[in-house]
PDB file of all heavy atoms in Angstrom:
ATOM      1  N   LYS A 275     100.606  91.668 171.401  1.00 98.00           N
ATOM      2  CA  LYS A 275      99.488  90.823 171.865  1.00 98.00           C
ATOM      3  C   LYS A 275      98.268  91.027 170.973  1.00 98.00           C
ATOM      4  O   LYS A 275      97.147  91.207 171.431  1.00 98.00           O
ATOM      5  CB  LYS A 275      99.174  91.078 173.331  1.00 98.00           C
ATOM      6  CG  LYS A 275     100.319  90.646 174.226  1.00 98.00           C
ATOM      7  CD  LYS A 275      99.935  90.592 175.663  1.00 98.00           C
ATOM      8  CE  LYS A 275     101.131  90.039 176.428  1.00 98.00           C
ATOM      9  NZ  LYS A 275     100.883  89.772 177.792  1.00 98.00           N
ATOM     10  N   LYS A 276      98.553  90.998 169.667  1.00 97.00           N
ATOM     11  CA  LYS A 276      97.524  91.178 168.645  1.00 97.00           C
ATOM     12  C   LYS A 276      97.837  90.249 167.485  1.00 97.00           C
ATOM     13  O   LYS A 276      98.980  89.841 167.301  1.00 97.00           O
ATOM     14  CB  LYS A 276      97.506  92.619 168.120  1.00 97.00           C
ATOM     15  CG  LYS A 276      97.116  93.641 169.138  1.00 97.00           C
ATOM     16  CD  LYS A 276      97.099  95.023 168.532  1.00 97.00           C
ATOM     17  CE  LYS A 276      96.724  96.049 169.578  1.00 97.00           C
ATOM     18  NZ  LYS A 276      96.555  97.380 169.029  1.00 97.00           N
ATOM     19  N   GLY A 277      96.813  89.974 166.698  1.00 97.00           N
ATOM     20  CA  GLY A 277      96.999  89.211 165.481  1.00 97.00           C
ATOM     21  C   GLY A 277      95.723  88.498 165.090  1.00 97.00           C
ATOM     22  O   GLY A 277      94.897  88.166 165.939  1.00 97.00           O
ATOM     23  N   ILE A 278      95.582  88.272 163.797  1.00 97.00           N
ATOM     24  CA  ILE A 278      94.469  87.462 163.311  1.00 97.00           C
ATOM     25  C   ILE A 278      94.910  85.999 163.352  1.00 97.00           C
ATOM     26  O   ILE A 278      96.019  85.689 163.800  1.00 97.00           O
ATOM     27  CB  ILE A 278      94.007  87.909 161.903  1.00 97.00           C
ATOM     28  CG1 ILE A 278      95.147  87.827 160.874  1.00 97.00           C
ATOM     29  CG2 ILE A 278      93.421  89.314 161.963  1.00 97.00           C
ATOM     30  CD1 ILE A 278      94.728  88.119 159.449  1.00 97.00           C
ATOM     31  N   CYS A 279      94.075  85.099 162.869  1.00 97.00           N
ATOM     32  CA  CYS A 279      94.375  83.667 162.993  1.00 97.00           C
ATOM     33  C   CYS A 279      95.727  83.295 162.393  1.00 97.00           C
ATOM     34  O   CYS A 279      96.430  82.448 162.928  1.00 97.00           O
ATOM     35  CB  CYS A 279      93.258  82.819 162.389  1.00 97.00           C
ATOM     36  SG  CYS A 279      92.972  83.058 160.619  1.00 97.00           S
ATOM     37  N   VAL A 280      96.107  83.939 161.300  1.00 97.00           N
ATOM     38  CA  VAL A 280      97.379  83.619 160.640  1.00 97.00           C
ATOM     39  C   VAL A 280      98.541  83.962 161.577  1.00 97.00           C
ATOM     40  O   VAL A 280      99.444  83.153 161.783  1.00 97.00           O
ATOM     41  CB  VAL A 280      97.508  84.367 159.293  1.00 97.00           C
ATOM     42  CG1 VAL A 280      98.815  84.033 158.609  1.00 97.00           C
ATOM     43  CG2 VAL A 280      96.327  84.041 158.392  1.00 97.00           C
ATOM     44  N   ASP A 281      98.513  85.146 162.147  1.00 98.00           N
ATOM     45  CA  ASP A 281      99.577  85.584 163.055  1.00 98.00           C
ATOM     46  C   ASP A 281      99.609  84.723 164.313  1.00 98.00           C
ATOM     47  O   ASP A 281     100.672  84.270 164.743  1.00 98.00           O
ATOM     48  CB  ASP A 281      99.367  87.046 163.471  1.00 98.00           C
ATOM     49  CG  ASP A 281      99.249  87.981 162.298  1.00 98.00           C
ATOM     50  OD1 ASP A 281     100.219  88.098 161.531  1.00 98.00           O
ATOM     51  OD2 ASP A 281      98.176  88.598 162.150  1.00 98.00           O
ATOM     52  N   GLN A 282      98.432  84.497 164.900  1.00 98.00           N
ATOM     53  CA  GLN A 282      98.377  83.742 166.143  1.00 98.00           C
ATOM     54  C   GLN A 282      98.816  82.297 165.945  1.00 98.00           C
ATOM     55  O   GLN A 282      99.538  81.742 166.780  1.00 98.00           O
ATOM     56  CB  GLN A 282      96.967  83.803 166.746  1.00 98.00           C
ATOM     57  CG  GLN A 282      96.637  85.186 167.266  1.00 98.00           C
ATOM     58  CD  GLN A 282      95.364  85.210 168.073  1.00 98.00           C
ATOM     59  OE1 GLN A 282      95.053  84.284 168.811  1.00 98.00           O
ATOM     60  NE2 GLN A 282      94.614  86.307 167.958  1.00 98.00           N
ATOM     61  N   SER A 283      98.416  81.681 164.842  1.00 98.00           N
ATOM     62  CA  SER A 283      98.828  80.281 164.630  1.00 98.00           C
ATOM     63  C   SER A 283     100.326  80.178 164.347  1.00 98.00           C
ATOM     64  O   SER A 283     100.950  79.176 164.692  1.00 98.00           O
ATOM     65  CB  SER A 283      97.997  79.610 163.539  1.00 98.00           C
ATOM     66  OG  SER A 283      98.155  80.266 162.308  1.00 98.00           O
ATOM     67  N   GLU A 284     100.919  81.210 163.764  1.00 97.00           N
ATOM     68  CA  GLU A 284     102.377  81.201 163.578  1.00 97.00           C
ATOM     69  C   GLU A 284     103.086  81.395 164.916  1.00 97.00           C
ATOM     70  O   GLU A 284     104.137  80.803 165.162  1.00 97.00           O
ATOM     71  CB  GLU A 284     102.817  82.256 162.560  1.00 97.00           C
ATOM     72  CG  GLU A 284     102.426  81.916 161.133  1.00 97.00           C
ATOM     73  CD  GLU A 284     102.986  80.587 160.638  1.00 97.00           C
ATOM     74  OE1 GLU A 284     104.093  80.176 161.066  1.00 97.00           O
ATOM     75  OE2 GLU A 284     102.317  79.943 159.813  1.00 97.00           O
ATOM     76  N   PHE A 285     102.519  82.198 165.787  1.00 98.00           N
ATOM     77  CA  PHE A 285     103.035  82.348 167.150  1.00 98.00           C
ATOM     78  C   PHE A 285     102.971  80.988 167.860  1.00 98.00           C
ATOM     79  O   PHE A 285     103.925  80.564 168.512  1.00 98.00           O
ATOM     80  CB  PHE A 285     102.207  83.404 167.893  1.00 98.00           C
ATOM     81  CG  PHE A 285     102.596  83.596 169.326  1.00 98.00           C
ATOM     82  CD1 PHE A 285     103.705  84.347 169.668  1.00 98.00           C
ATOM     83  CD2 PHE A 285     101.843  83.030 170.341  1.00 98.00           C
ATOM     84  CE1 PHE A 285     104.065  84.538 171.003  1.00 98.00           C
ATOM     85  CE2 PHE A 285     102.187  83.211 171.681  1.00 98.00           C
ATOM     86  CZ  PHE A 285     103.305  83.960 172.006  1.00 98.00           C
ATOM     87  N   GLU A 286     101.836  80.311 167.710  1.00 98.00           N
ATOM     88  CA  GLU A 286     101.656  78.987 168.309  1.00 98.00           C
ATOM     89  C   GLU A 286     102.637  77.977 167.710  1.00 98.00           C
ATOM     90  O   GLU A 286     103.242  77.185 168.435  1.00 98.00           O
ATOM     91  CB  GLU A 286     100.215  78.507 168.092  1.00 98.00           C
ATOM     92  CG  GLU A 286      99.192  79.368 168.794  1.00 98.00           C
ATOM     93  CD  GLU A 286      97.780  79.298 168.218  1.00 98.00           C
ATOM     94  OE1 GLU A 286      97.529  78.441 167.333  1.00 98.00           O
ATOM     95  OE2 GLU A 286      96.943  80.098 168.636  1.00 98.00           O
ATOM     96  N   ARG A 287     102.803  78.027 166.380  1.00 98.00           N
ATOM     97  CA  ARG A 287     103.750  77.118 165.715  1.00 98.00           C
ATOM     98  C   ARG A 287     105.140  77.270 166.320  1.00 98.00           C
ATOM     99  O   ARG A 287     105.832  76.284 166.580  1.00 98.00           O
ATOM    100  CB  ARG A 287     103.807  77.395 164.210  1.00 98.00           C
ATOM    101  CG  ARG A 287     104.727  76.438 163.466  1.00 98.00           C
ATOM    102  CD  ARG A 287     105.134  76.880 162.064  1.00 98.00           C
ATOM    103  NE  ARG A 287     104.135  77.319 161.152  1.00 98.00           N
ATOM    104  CZ  ARG A 287     103.729  76.656 160.070  1.00 98.00           C
ATOM    105  NH1 ARG A 287     104.253  75.476 159.778  1.00 98.00           N
ATOM    106  NH2 ARG A 287     102.832  77.168 159.262  1.00 98.00           N
ATOM    107  N   ASP A 288     105.535  78.509 166.551  1.00 98.00           N
ATOM    108  CA  ASP A 288     106.847  78.790 167.125  1.00 98.00           C
ATOM    109  C   ASP A 288     106.967  78.139 168.506  1.00 98.00           C
ATOM    110  O   ASP A 288     107.967  77.479 168.803  1.00 98.00           O
ATOM    111  CB  ASP A 288     107.051  80.311 167.201  1.00 98.00           C
ATOM    112  CG  ASP A 288     108.430  80.689 167.690  1.00 98.00           C
ATOM    113  OD1 ASP A 288     109.418  80.404 166.976  1.00 98.00           O
ATOM    114  OD2 ASP A 288     108.524  81.260 168.794  1.00 98.00           O
ATOM    115  N   TRP A 289     105.946  78.319 169.350  1.00 98.00           N
ATOM    116  CA  TRP A 289     105.987  77.744 170.699  1.00 98.00           C
ATOM    117  C   TRP A 289     105.995  76.213 170.646  1.00 98.00           C
ATOM    118  O   TRP A 289     106.805  75.571 171.322  1.00 98.00           O
ATOM    119  CB  TRP A 289     104.807  78.238 171.548  1.00 98.00           C
ATOM    120  CG  TRP A 289     104.906  77.760 172.961  1.00 98.00           C
ATOM    121  CD1 TRP A 289     105.550  78.385 173.991  1.00 98.00           C
ATOM    122  CD2 TRP A 289     104.410  76.529 173.502  1.00 98.00           C
ATOM    123  NE1 TRP A 289     105.469  77.624 175.135  1.00 98.00           N
ATOM    124  CE2 TRP A 289     104.777  76.476 174.867  1.00 98.00           C
ATOM    125  CE3 TRP A 289     103.689  75.467 172.971  1.00 98.00           C
ATOM    126  CZ2 TRP A 289     104.448  75.416 175.696  1.00 98.00           C
ATOM    127  CZ3 TRP A 289     103.351  74.395 173.788  1.00 98.00           C
ATOM    128  CH2 TRP A 289     103.733  74.377 175.142  1.00 98.00           C
ATOM    129  N   PHE A 290     105.119  75.606 169.845  1.00 98.00           N
ATOM    130  CA  PHE A 290     105.042  74.148 169.767  1.00 98.00           C
ATOM    131  C   PHE A 290     106.333  73.556 169.185  1.00 98.00           C
ATOM    132  O   PHE A 290     106.771  72.487 169.602  1.00 98.00           O
ATOM    133  CB  PHE A 290     103.809  73.706 168.973  1.00 98.00           C
ATOM    134  CG  PHE A 290     102.545  73.696 169.800  1.00 98.00           C
ATOM    135  CD1 PHE A 290     101.802  74.851 169.967  1.00 98.00           C
ATOM    136  CD2 PHE A 290     102.112  72.535 170.421  1.00 98.00           C
ATOM    137  CE1 PHE A 290     100.647  74.853 170.735  1.00 98.00           C
ATOM    138  CE2 PHE A 290     100.965  72.520 171.191  1.00 98.00           C
ATOM    139  CZ  PHE A 290     100.225  73.681 171.353  1.00 98.00           C
ATOM    140  N   SER A 291     106.958  74.258 168.251  1.00 98.00           N
ATOM    141  CA  SER A 291     108.245  73.797 167.694  1.00 98.00           C
ATOM    142  C   SER A 291     109.333  73.830 168.766  1.00 98.00           C
ATOM    143  O   SER A 291     110.069  72.853 168.931  1.00 98.00           O
ATOM    144  CB  SER A 291     108.674  74.686 166.524  1.00 98.00           C
ATOM    145  OG  SER A 291     107.823  74.531 165.435  1.00 98.00           O
ATOM    146  N   LYS A 292     109.414  74.936 169.468  1.00 97.00           N
ATOM    147  CA  LYS A 292     110.446  75.081 170.502  1.00 97.00           C
ATOM    148  C   LYS A 292     110.256  74.101 171.658  1.00 97.00           C
ATOM    149  O   LYS A 292     111.203  73.800 172.372  1.00 97.00           O
ATOM    150  CB  LYS A 292     110.462  76.514 171.042  1.00 97.00           C
ATOM    151  CG  LYS A 292     111.035  77.504 170.064  1.00 97.00           C
ATOM    152  CD  LYS A 292     110.955  78.918 170.578  1.00 97.00           C
ATOM    153  CE  LYS A 292     111.575  79.888 169.586  1.00 97.00           C
ATOM    154  NZ  LYS A 292     111.354  81.284 169.987  1.00 97.00           N
ATOM    155  N   ASN A 293     109.029  73.616 171.843  1.00 97.00           N
ATOM    156  CA  ASN A 293     108.735  72.700 172.938  1.00 97.00           C
ATOM    157  C   ASN A 293     108.558  71.260 172.464  1.00 97.00           C
ATOM    158  O   ASN A 293     108.035  70.417 173.194  1.00 97.00           O
ATOM    159  CB  ASN A 293     107.509  73.196 173.716  1.00 97.00           C
ATOM    160  CG  ASN A 293     107.859  74.418 174.536  1.00 97.00           C
ATOM    161  OD1 ASN A 293     108.390  74.307 175.628  1.00 97.00           O
ATOM    162  ND2 ASN A 293     107.604  75.599 173.994  1.00 97.00           N
ATOM    163  N   ASN A 294     109.013  71.000 171.244  1.00 97.00           N
ATOM    164  CA  ASN A 294     109.112  69.646 170.675  1.00 97.00           C
ATOM    165  C   ASN A 294     107.798  68.869 170.630  1.00 97.00           C
ATOM    166  O   ASN A 294     107.773  67.663 170.874  1.00 97.00           O
ATOM    167  CB  ASN A 294     110.177  68.834 171.428  1.00 97.00           C
ATOM    168  CG  ASN A 294     111.530  69.499 171.321  1.00 97.00           C
ATOM    169  OD1 ASN A 294     111.950  69.895 170.240  1.00 97.00           O
ATOM    170  ND2 ASN A 294     112.201  69.650 172.447  1.00 97.00           N
ATOM    171  N   TYR A 295     106.718  69.542 170.289  1.00 97.00           N
ATOM    172  CA  TYR A 295     105.442  68.867 170.074  1.00 97.00           C
ATOM    173  C   TYR A 295     105.300  68.507 168.604  1.00 97.00           C
ATOM    174  O   TYR A 295     105.708  69.270 167.722  1.00 97.00           O
ATOM    175  CB  TYR A 295     104.271  69.784 170.452  1.00 97.00           C
ATOM    176  CG  TYR A 295     103.994  69.860 171.931  1.00 97.00           C
ATOM    177  CD1 TYR A 295     104.692  70.747 172.751  1.00 97.00           C
ATOM    178  CD2 TYR A 295     103.020  69.058 172.514  1.00 97.00           C
ATOM    179  CE1 TYR A 295     104.428  70.829 174.104  1.00 97.00           C
ATOM    180  CE2 TYR A 295     102.750  69.134 173.872  1.00 97.00           C
ATOM    181  CZ  TYR A 295     103.459  70.017 174.654  1.00 97.00           C
ATOM    182  OH  TYR A 295     103.190  70.090 175.996  1.00 97.00           O
ATOM    183  N   GLU A 296     104.690  67.367 168.335  1.00 97.00           N
ATOM    184  CA  GLU A 296     104.323  67.004 166.975  1.00 97.00           C
ATOM    185  C   GLU A 296     103.097  67.843 166.623  1.00 97.00           C
ATOM    186  O   GLU A 296     102.056  67.748 167.282  1.00 97.00           O
ATOM    187  CB  GLU A 296     104.009  65.509 166.919  1.00 97.00           C
ATOM    188  CG  GLU A 296     103.700  65.000 165.542  1.00 97.00           C
ATOM    189  CD  GLU A 296     103.414  63.509 165.531  1.00 97.00           C
ATOM    190  OE1 GLU A 296     103.769  62.797 166.494  1.00 97.00           O
ATOM    191  OE2 GLU A 296     102.808  63.062 164.540  1.00 97.00           O
ATOM    192  N   HIS A 297     103.217  68.698 165.614  1.00 98.00           N
ATOM    193  CA  HIS A 297     102.137  69.635 165.309  1.00 98.00           C
ATOM    194  C   HIS A 297     102.123  70.012 163.837  1.00 98.00           C
ATOM    195  O   HIS A 297     103.102  69.774 163.119  1.00 98.00           O
ATOM    196  CB  HIS A 297     102.279  70.895 166.163  1.00 98.00           C
ATOM    197  CG  HIS A 297     103.496  71.695 165.796  1.00 98.00           C
ATOM    198  ND1 HIS A 297     104.760  71.340 166.194  1.00 98.00           N
ATOM    199  CD2 HIS A 297     103.633  72.805 165.042  1.00 98.00           C
ATOM    200  CE1 HIS A 297     105.629  72.209 165.712  1.00 98.00           C
ATOM    201  NE2 HIS A 297     104.968  73.105 165.000  1.00 98.00           N
ATOM    202  N   LYS A 298     101.004  70.619 163.424  1.00 97.00           N
ATOM    203  CA  LYS A 298     100.858  71.169 162.076  1.00 97.00           C
ATOM    204  C   LYS A 298     100.010  72.426 162.168  1.00 97.00           C
ATOM    205  O   LYS A 298      99.118  72.523 163.009  1.00 97.00           O
ATOM    206  CB  LYS A 298     100.109  70.192 161.159  1.00 97.00           C
ATOM    207  CG  LYS A 298     100.838  68.922 160.840  1.00 97.00           C
ATOM    208  CD  LYS A 298      99.981  68.062 159.925  1.00 97.00           C
ATOM    209  CE  LYS A 298     100.687  66.757 159.613  1.00 97.00           C
ATOM    210  NZ  LYS A 298      99.887  65.933 158.703  1.00 97.00           N
TER     211      LYS A 298
END
């Protein structure tokens, strides 16, 4: 439950990908 913006946005990318959202 730690990370800078790079880590957190990659965590978010993973969630948005798995949940089929159009994202970047």
Side-chain angles (χ1 to χ4, degrees):
K275 294 193 175 187
K276 295 181 181 186
I278 59 174
C279 62
V280 180
D281 305 298
Q282 290 190 37
S283 61
E284 289 302 329
F285 177 79
E286 296 158 8
R287 183 196 311 251
D288 184 66
W289 185 89
F290 278 85
S291 292
K292 288 176 178 173
N293 288 277
N294 300 313
Y295 280 85
E296 184 179 342
H297 67 282
K298 293 180 181 182

